[in-house]
Each structure stands twice: as C-alpha cells, then as structure tokens.
Amino acid sequence: LRLLAEQDWSDPLLLSLEERLGHGDEASHRHLERLSKLLDTVESRRNMLYAVFALLLLSDVHLGVLLDRWRVAHGAAARDWLDAAGEWEALSSLGTVAHDHPDWTFPTFPEGEEPLLSGRALGHPLLPPDRCVRNDVSVGPPGTFLLVTGSNMSGKSTLLRALGSNVVLALAGGPVCAAELSLPPVRVHTSMRIDDSLSEGISLFMAELLRIREIVRAASNEEHGEAPRVLFLLDEILHGTNTAERRVAARGVIRHLLRSGAIGAVSTHDLTLADAPDLKRAAVAVNFRERVQPAGRGEGTRLTFDYQLREGIATTRNALIREARVAAALEHPNVCAVYEVGEEDGNTFIVMALVDGQSLSAIMESRTLDVREAVDLALQVAEGLRAAHAKNVIHRDVKASNVMVTQEG
C-alpha cells in the first residue's frame, strides 16, 4: 500500500483507487501500520515481564482504549481499503499476464450486433506456447450450438476449456490467448470433470444431473431477462448412464438451452446426438481427427493427433474404433484380448475375450480384501498398464469396475 501511495497515477480508475486508499498522513498504510504496532503489543502480553508492568501501569486498559479509538476512527473505512487493495491486486495480475504474453490480444465486445463469440487463433492460456495448437472457432448465434466430435485425446475437452478460460479472462478485463476475440456479455456455465461422491451418496449420473440443473436454471433466468446470456460448455454430457438414455436426455437439455437463447458448445463421442431434425439444423459440427501409424518393428501401431479443428462430423462412425484396433495389438495375460473391431449395418462392434469372473468393484462390495490379495491384484493391474504403455496405449479410465478378476485370481 505504501508503494501504491507513493506513485503518481493518471488513469481515472487508478486515481479512484488511490483516493479510496487515502493520501499523506491519512493514507491507509499509515493507519494500518499503527494498528499493526498495537496488535504487536497485544501479542507481547504473553511475556512474563509484561504481566508485572501491566498491573502497575494498567497496560491492558490503555491498549483497549487505543484499539477502540482506532476502530471508531478507521474501522468503517478498513473494509473499503481491503476491497481497493483487492482490485489493485487483480489489476496487477492481469497486467502481469499482458506483460508476459505480448502476443495475446484484448477482446472486443461489439454492441448492437447478433450475439456471437468469435475467436481467431484461439488457444488454451495454460498450455506452453510451443505445445499450444490454436484454432479459429465461433459459438452462436442463439438458436445454434457448436457440436465437437472426435476420438479420445484428440482435443475436444481442451477446446471447450480454452473457450471457457479465455471468456473468463475477457470478462475480467484481461488479455486472451488469441489473435482476435469478440464476444457478447455472457455468464459461463460448464459441465466438465464431474465426479461422484461416496461421502454424500451421489452417483456420477446424479452429479451430472445436478450440474445440468444449475445450467438450465441459469438459462431460464436469462430467458426471463433477469441475467446476461448463458454460455454453456458441456463435455461428454451425461456419460454416467447408458447410450439410449443419454441421447434422449442430452437432446432435451440442448433443446431447452437453445429455446432459452443460450449459446454454447457440446463435445461428444455419440455421432448421432444431433440426428434429430431440429438439432441437426441447429448444430454447427466440427471435429478433431486422429491417425493410426506404425509404431516401429514389433511395436504395433500408435495414435497421433494434430489438434486442428475441422468442419463437419468426425469421419469415423465411432471414433473409438481406431483406438480399439490399437488395443487389439496388445498380447498380455493381464490385458483382455480384443479379437475384432468393425461395423455392421451402421452399428459398431468389438469382439473381446470372455472373462470368467467378477469385476473388482463387485468383489470389494461383497467382502474386504486382505493385504496380500490387494497387493497381488494391484501388481497385476500395473503389469497390464505397463504392457499397454509400451505399445503407446493409454487406458484413461482405470477403476475397480473395469478390472475383471478370474476364478484363479
């Protein structure tokens, strides 16, 4: 606060903050230094010598009077000092971001135009520049939504997070990781990385429903003119239930959000999500692609990604087919064998080995594993993952319900 008070400011906003923090002898840092000294004296009451002199000099009474005088004189202004200091800190943080990223730009908020979020060369602000792949992307106008498809690890979730984080930076008044970004005033509402809660007794599906309910309510308030427009970002919506129920529920949610005037993006593996005539007209489809390449002699194949956004639906009927084919190259006693992957009459199928046993989650629900058995199972899972990683295959969903235990253990 002292450093701020010693500077000469010309910007109207900074001058107003300086005024709130006071000048000269009435500067806030001087009064806070005085309070700090009084509180240091209060802390010294734990000293044995203080107790002796306190009885003779009535030090506690004097301290109480001095503290009460400070409260009467400056107590009402202290909260505003803290608020002003918080605004200084926020502005300083945004200024540091702008200084550290000279290639970023400040967003624009066009007035009187159709609500549309449009970004050129937009990237994720937390990715290092040498790893950040930027894309041109548009969300809106109302009545439409961005439908993002592609395989696992292709960049769908990162695109949604890049949109959300840059919009938050823009609304805070900071620079954004893009060559250009224009957007209307919006409120960001997301459904990403939803987890269940054993302590609260909430399943993954219920946790998703609760989050989506918040988004729907926010969009309803917007419809009634009670709040700014909603920007929704839904990553693999309702993946905690089966395909048929997910498709019906997801379509209903998207329809409601569109009717409410919200704009947003939805990422999904379900290429039929927008097959309904009304959603097909409203969907602006984009996709990320993957390539299957030989990984070298004896190493099978590997997936590679360029993270470039393309127009249209993903080219494969089911983006998991290629990943399953990569997994089919694995041969290990702790990995379930994949015998065939393909399509028939528009339906995708994967033929896997029949495992005669139970899932680890079912076993753990029926009894408690002893230490030796738990360690043995953990080692087998680790061996299977090691074999997969050696072939450049990443599971990404290792959990007890996906671990099968045979009769032989």
Side-chain angles (χ1 to χ4, degrees):
L1 295 178
R2 183 188 298 109
L3 292 175
L4 295 175
E6 293 172 352
Q7 299 296 321
D8 293 325
W9 308 104
S10 57
D11 182 83
L13 175 60
L14 302 184
L15 286 172
S16 67
L17 292 176
E18 182 185 38
E19 184 68 26
R20 289 166 61 184
L21 292 174
H23 306 277
D25 293 338
E26 293 300 317
S28 58
H29 71 272
R30 297 185 184 277
H31 298 308
L32 291 174
E33 287 172 355
R34 173 60 176 165
L35 177 62
S36 177
K37 292 178 181 179
L38 290 174
L39 294 177
D40 286 342
T41 306
V42 171
E43 286 294 320
S44 68
R45 295 174 68 252
R46 300 177 181 179
N47 189 300
M48 295 181 61
L49 292 176
Y50 179 92
V52 175
F53 289 103
L55 293 174
L56 298 174
L57 303 176
L58 300 178
S59 301
D60 287 351
V61 175
H62 291 297
L63 274 176
V65 171
L66 291 173
L67 286 170
D68 191 60
R69 286 178 179 174
W70 192 97
R71 179 189 62 80
V72 171
H74 311 295
R79 181 175 295 277
D80 190 52
W81 294 342
L82 295 176
D83 290 340
E87 290 186 42
W88 272 111
E89 184 174 6
L91 292 172
S92 176
S93 298
L94 294 174
T96 301
V97 171
H99 178 271
D100 291 345
H101 300 279
D103 58 322
W104 291 13
T105 187
F106 282 90
T108 59
F109 297 85
E111 296 182 1
E113 298 183 9
E114 192 173 34
L116 176 68
L117 188 156
S118 179
R120 182 171 66 85
L122 182 138
H124 197 298
L126 297 182
L127 286 176
D130 58 336
R131 294 175 53 195
C132 181
V133 178
R134 300 193 180 195
N135 287 287
D136 297 345
V137 60
S138 294
V139 179
T144 67
F145 70 100
L146 189 69
L147 180 65
V148 188
T149 58
S151 64
N152 284 334
M153 302 179 290
S154 62
K156 302 189 305 298
S157 298
T158 301
L159 175 66
L160 265 61
R161 291 169 184 166
L163 282 168
S165 54
N166 278 297
V167 169
V168 169
L169 279 171
L171 296 175
V176 294
C177 182
E180 292 179 5
L181 181 66
S182 63
L183 69 159
V186 293
R187 291 171 297 147
V188 180
H189 286 268
T190 68
S191 178
M192 299 182 187
R193 294 183 61 86
I194 307 299
D195 292 319
D196 56 5
S197 174
L198 183 63
S199 61
E200 298 180 9
I202 298 177
S203 67
L204 175 60
F205 182 57
M206 178 56 70
E208 288 186 291
L209 289 178
L210 293 175
R211 176 63 62 84
I212 290 173
R213 183 179 67 177
E214 295 178 7
I215 300 174
V216 168
R217 286 179 173 175
S220 298
N221 291 336
E222 168 198 326
E223 184 180 14
H224 297 132
E226 299 175 6
R229 190 177 305 275
V230 165
L231 171 67
F232 61 88
L233 302 171
L234 309 179
D235 188 22
E236 295 294 345
I237 181 173
L238 297 175
H239 67 283
T241 186
N242 64 69
T243 302
E245 291 180 353
R246 176 176 67 240
R247 187 175 298 134
V248 172
R251 287 174 177 173
V253 170
I254 295 172
R255 287 189 180 103
H256 179 84
L257 293 173
L258 295 179
R259 285 196 302 268
S260 301
I263 60 175
V266 179
S267 71
T268 182
H269 280 107
D270 186 358
L271 305 184
T272 65
L273 178 63
D275 279 356
D278 58 334
L279 293 182
K280 196 168 187 176
R281 291 190 298 269
V284 179
V286 293
N287 73 88
F288 290 100
R289 293 181 186 174
E290 75 286 345
R291 290 191 300 169
V292 180
Q293 297 177 319
R297 177 175 294 181
E299 295 296 325
T301 57
R302 62 181 299 176
L303 282 173
T304 60
F305 307 93
D306 61 11
Y307 306 112
Q308 293 293 333
L309 194 63
R310 298 171 174 84
E311 294 182 358
I313 294 287
T315 54
T316 53
R317 177 68 181 174
N318 187 335
L320 292 176
I321 289 180
R322 295 187 179 186
E323 296 172 44
R325 286 174 177 163
V326 175
L330 290 173
E331 294 183 8
H332 192 275
N334 297 124
V335 177
C336 184
V338 177
Y339 295 128
E340 187 177 358
V341 182
E343 291 183 277
E344 184 70 28
D345 296 330
N347 296 313
T348 303
F349 67 86
I350 300 177
V351 180
M352 304 179 69
L354 175 63
V355 179
D356 184 15
Q358 289 182 291
S359 68
L360 180 56
S361 60
I363 295 175
M364 293 170 63
E365 288 177 1
S366 62
R367 61 183 177 86
T368 302
L369 299 177
D370 60 53
V371 175
R372 185 182 297 276
E373 184 180 12
V375 171
D376 179 62
L377 291 173
L379 289 174
Q380 293 186 60
V381 171
E383 284 296 322
L385 291 174
R386 184 179 65 82
H389 293 169
K391 297 290 186 179
N392 297 301
V393 176
I394 300 177
H395 193 289
R396 289 173 61 88
D397 193 25
V398 180
K399 56 186 178 183
S401 59
N402 286 337
V403 177
M404 294 297 294
V405 181
T406 64
Q407 299 297 330
E408 293 76 23

